[in-house]
Amino acid sequence: MSGIEYGLIIGGLMILLLALRVHIGGAMLIAGTIGYYWFSGADPVLSYFKHAAYARFSVYDLSVVPLFLLMGQFATHGGLSKALFKAGNAMIGHWRGGMAMAGVSACAGFGAICGSSLATAATMAQVALPELRSHGYSPRLAGAALAAGGTLGILIPPSVPLVIYAILTEQSIGKLFMAAFIPGIIAALGYMAVISIIARLSPGDAPAGDRFSWGQRLQAIIDTWPVILIFAVVIIGIYGGWFTPTEAASVGTVATAFVAWKSGGLKGRGFLECVYGAAKATGMIFLILLGADVLNVFLALTQMPAELARWVVGLNLPPLMIIFTIIAIYLFLGCIMDSLSMLMLTIPIFFPIIVGTDFWGMELEPKAIWFGIVALMTVEIGLITPPVGMNVYIISSMAKDIPMKEVFKGIVPFLCSDLARIVLLVFFPSITLIALNF
């Protein structure tokens, strides 16, 4: 059999395991081990497992993941989300739909110190959802705006999926963070534009809020100084060469912990809850990493990714058809898988295809960074599409009076904004690369 045939059979086995509700990390680990054994025998498999876990988890750059997750936990317990929402509401809450826009802007700000979409959605739902409902916002718009805004948690750097992508493709974490910044801002503005349109078409769904004085607005903005300072230290420190990504994550974590301690968020069991939450998320991500490593070793032995890349290149398909086919696959996978799992599973297959295809005359590094941002923007859509739609599940679980069906209906305009943004990034790669020139 050819390498592609081996890969397809093991891929089918993994899909079967997923259908049986085996965790994605376990499914990749089991399928990869069986494939490795089938292709090479028992001795190579046993020899590989002697050092596989240590070789993966001893990578210095990977320590960024638990640090950013811990920083997000401290930010959640430190009440920073409340300050962000209050500032946004003070500035634009008096507009029609302004309070929902403030929720989206707060999601973007919180994502700048969190790196997790699920944590962003859960935290902002606690803060903003009661306010939106008490001011007469429709359940559909209130739930959908915060579910969509939650996806900004992995779009605005620092982003855990971008760290994983950088490690898998051997790209610069700092450059990927900078490349994601402008597309992330465009995403937030796109969501706010959707809310504005809905408010104009259906004023009863998005009433205007109270108007704040300029003194109150100034004070609300001043109260967000910890977020601004932490974000500046992490991102500017990385890009300016003052810190490595790991050092920046360490500094950001300590600073966020100090803010949480000052606000009283670490009293009692607060600190232990932060550590436990970060450890639990890290363990899940590391299991996926280990499973992906085993599966990728099997795929490398079969030469499936290289064969598939050569086959696709040999078809002489237009580059745009290739990238839009990959995007379509991501959109389909987003209905059944989480974003990180999608990246871990597909990057070893798709990245060689992207590298072997000419996109707008780009060199290897700019092309790798551009594709990373496009892939990230696409997989985050899976957080708000049925049947998985984890952000929607979070919103519905925290607002028992909002049916999940209503939130999914309200998500449709935001999905249109997502798709328009992805098309824009495909045709204008400079949007992702312009920040690298500063």
Side-chain angles (χ1 to χ4, degrees):
M1 290 192 298
S2 67
I4 291 181
E5 290 172 327
Y6 274 107
L8 290 176
I9 292 172
I10 295 301
L13 172 62
M14 190 189 69
I15 292 173
L16 175 62
L17 292 171
L18 290 175
L20 295 174
R21 305 188 67 83
V22 177
H23 185 274
I24 179 64
M28 289 192 291
L29 184 62
I30 293 170
T33 301
I34 292 174
Y36 199 165
Y37 173 80
W38 181 25
F39 197 82
S40 299
D43 289 343
V45 173
L46 294 174
S47 176
Y48 172 77
F49 275 110
K50 286 181 181 178
H51 59 80
Y54 177 79
R56 163 50 68 195
F57 301 140
S58 63
V59 174
Y60 177 72
D61 288 345
L62 202 57
S63 57
V64 167
V65 173
L67 287 170
F68 278 143
L69 291 173
L70 186 58
M71 187 166 75
Q73 290 286 331
F74 286 146
T76 301
H77 283 72
L80 297 178
S81 54
K82 293 181 182 179
L84 289 166
F85 178 70
K86 183 178 178 181
N89 189 35
M91 295 301 297
I92 60 176
H94 58 282
W95 298 353
R96 285 198 176 276
M99 191 171 289
M101 296 181 199
V104 170
S105 66
C107 286
F110 192 74
I113 55 173
C114 179
S116 167
S117 286
L118 299 182
T120 300
T123 302
M124 294 313 305
Q126 290 177 329
V127 173
L129 198 55
E131 293 291 327
L132 291 172
R133 300 293 287 119
S134 67
H135 281 76
Y137 276 72
S138 70
R140 179 182 298 185
L141 177 59
L146 294 179
T151 64
L152 299 172
I154 63 171
L155 299 186
I156 305 291
S159 167
V160 172
L162 270 187
V163 172
I164 300 302
Y165 176 86
I167 292 171
L168 290 175
T169 59
E170 299 181 349
Q171 300 301 314
S172 166
I173 296 175
K175 289 183 178 180
L176 280 164
F177 280 178
M178 291 302 299
F181 186 70
I182 293 178
I185 296 299
I186 292 175
L189 293 176
Y191 290 156
M192 294 171 72
V194 168
I195 295 170
S196 177
I197 293 172
I198 294 174
R200 289 177 180 274
L201 296 178
S202 182
D205 289 342
D210 301 326
R211 182 182 293 272
F212 289 74
S213 69
W214 281 106
Q216 290 173 316
R217 294 176 185 180
L218 180 61
Q219 184 58 52
I221 292 175
I222 292 174
D223 289 342
T224 66
W225 71 265
V227 177
I228 298 172
L229 180 61
I230 293 168
F231 176 77
V233 168
V234 172
I235 300 301
I236 297 177
I238 292 174
Y239 195 65
W242 304 339
F243 309 124
T244 66
T246 304
E247 291 167 347
S250 303
V251 172
T253 301
V254 172
T256 311
F258 177 76
V259 172
W261 173 72
K262 287 285 290 183
S263 68
L266 298 186
K267 290 182 179 179
R269 293 182 55 83
F271 179 77
L272 292 178
E273 289 175 357
C274 290
V275 173
Y276 176 73
K280 185 178 178 181
T282 301
M284 179 194 70
I285 292 172
F286 279 17
L287 175 61
I288 296 174
L289 276 170
L290 181 60
D293 274 356
V294 177
L295 185 62
N296 292 340
V297 167
F298 160 72
L299 293 176
L301 289 172
T302 64
Q303 293 293 302
M304 178 187 173
E307 285 188 28
L308 191 60
R310 284 194 293 268
W311 177 71
V312 172
V313 172
L315 293 176
N316 293 319
L317 296 174
L320 287 178
M321 183 177 291
I322 293 175
I323 189 65
F324 280 120
T325 299
I326 291 175
I327 289 171
I329 293 172
Y330 274 136
L331 292 175
F332 169 74
L333 291 176
C335 295
I336 56 176
M337 298 176 66
D338 66 89
S339 55
L340 185 60
S341 300
M342 275 193 282
L343 289 177
M344 296 294 298
L345 184 62
T346 59
I347 290 303
I349 297 174
F350 290 159
F351 190 70
I353 296 174
I354 295 297
V355 168
T357 306
D358 180 28
F359 291 100
W360 314 113
M362 286 188 287
E363 299 294 331
L364 174 59
E365 185 184 49
K367 187 174 8 179
I369 291 174
W370 166 74
F371 176 65
I373 303 305
V374 170
L376 181 73
M377 291 281 178
T378 308
V379 300
E380 55 88 15
I381 295 178
L383 292 167
I384 52 175
T385 53
V388 177
M390 289 303 299
N391 279 12
V392 176
Y393 278 88
I394 287 174
I395 297 296
S396 296
S397 67
M398 302 185 75
K400 304 297 184 182
D401 62 326
I402 303 180
M404 191 178 302
K405 180 174 67 174
E406 286 298 303
V407 181
F408 275 126
K409 287 181 180 178
I411 282 294
V412 173
F414 295 95
L415 289 176
C416 294
S417 173
D418 285 334
L419 295 175
R421 182 178 71 250
I422 291 170
V423 172
L424 186 68
L425 294 180
V426 168
F427 282 98
F428 299 97
S430 58
I431 295 174
T432 64
L433 303 175
I434 189 171
L436 303 182
N437 298 324
F438 293 105

